[in-house]
Amino acid sequence: MLAFAKLSAQTRVNQPPSGVQPPSTPTEHQTDEQWTEESLKVLKKDELKAILQGLGLKKSGNKDELIDRILGREVVAEENKKKPKWKNSKARAMLVTMLMDKHSHVHKMTYMEIHASHKWFQEYDPKLFQRYVRVMVKCVDSINIFFHTYIETNLS
């Protein structure tokens, strides 16, 4: 086990391992604000993970990502989050269910009102969503026509 990992969590967070000096004069209680990119780059990945563990942060990723996380530069943007493809989405399934229900209020709503009505719909661009709704309405209408024709011909 690394000597660095044997240090207490408080020491791990606040003081660099021997041989690595933060930019200011070391004091008894260093803070993570005194780490620099240069001082962290000389550390091994396991040592960076130990620092992250002491900080209570995620330990996965490459060395540059670990350093960014320690320095507080990691950005988790909502727009970088992968949204599900429309074909396999919960939003599509919900829209189909709503459109198949003849008594659903969705039949009296505009595309924008439908889009604004649920957070799942809002994950998609409004113009693309409008196209998705048009296609879904046509599909549901085709299914309804098919069933009415089938019922009329087979039950008559």
Side-chain angles (χ1 to χ4, degrees):
M1 184 174 219
L2 295 169
F4 184 68
K6 291 179 183 176
L7 298 173
S8 69
Q10 180 64 30
T11 305
R12 257 188 278 145
V13 171
N14 295 331
Q15 293 183 1
S18 60
V20 178
Q21 294 296 321
S24 63
T25 310
T27 62
E28 185 176 329
H29 296 288
Q30 297 284 334
T31 65
D32 57 337
E33 294 171 3
Q34 294 172 322
W35 288 109
T36 64
E37 187 167 1
E38 295 77 29
S39 67
L40 291 171
K41 280 195 182 258
V42 298
L43 299 177
K44 293 180 181 175
K45 192 172 178 180
D46 289 339
E47 294 170 324
L48 295 172
K49 286 182 177 183
I51 293 170
L52 288 165
Q53 182 177 0
L55 293 171
L57 298 172
K58 188 171 85 169
K59 299 178 289 185
S60 62
N62 63 37
K63 191 171 181 178
D64 289 333
E65 290 170 344
L66 300 180
I67 291 170
D68 285 344
R69 202 168 296 136
I70 291 169
L71 296 174
R73 297 189 303 211
E74 182 182 47
V75 177
V76 181
E78 284 293 317
E79 59 200 40
N80 290 345
K81 224 190 226 187
K82 283 190 175 181
K83 64 182 172 201
K85 293 190 181 221
W86 177 252
K87 181 180 176 183
N88 304 320
S89 70
K90 292 178 184 178
R92 180 181 179 273
M94 183 184 348
L95 183 61
V96 168
T97 303
M98 292 167 77
L99 290 171
M100 292 297 286
D101 180 5
K102 293 179 187 177
H103 304 291
S104 173
H105 63 283
V106 76
H107 297 287
K108 298 176 183 175
M109 296 170 73
T110 67
Y111 300 115
M112 293 307 291
E113 290 171 335
I114 297 170
H115 185 264
S117 70
H118 198 280
K119 66 180 181 180
W120 291 349
F121 297 149
Q122 294 168 13
E123 291 179 355
Y124 300 93
D125 177 70
K127 291 192 183 222
L128 285 175
F129 184 78
Q130 182 176 3
R131 193 177 85 199
Y132 297 151
V133 172
R134 280 186 192 154
V135 169
M136 297 305 297
V137 167
K138 286 180 184 177
C139 289
V140 169
D141 288 345
S142 297
I143 291 170
N144 286 335
I145 291 169
F146 171 77
F147 281 123
H148 288 291
T149 306
Y150 178 79
I151 290 171
E152 288 174 5
T153 57
N154 290 326
L155 298 178
S156 303

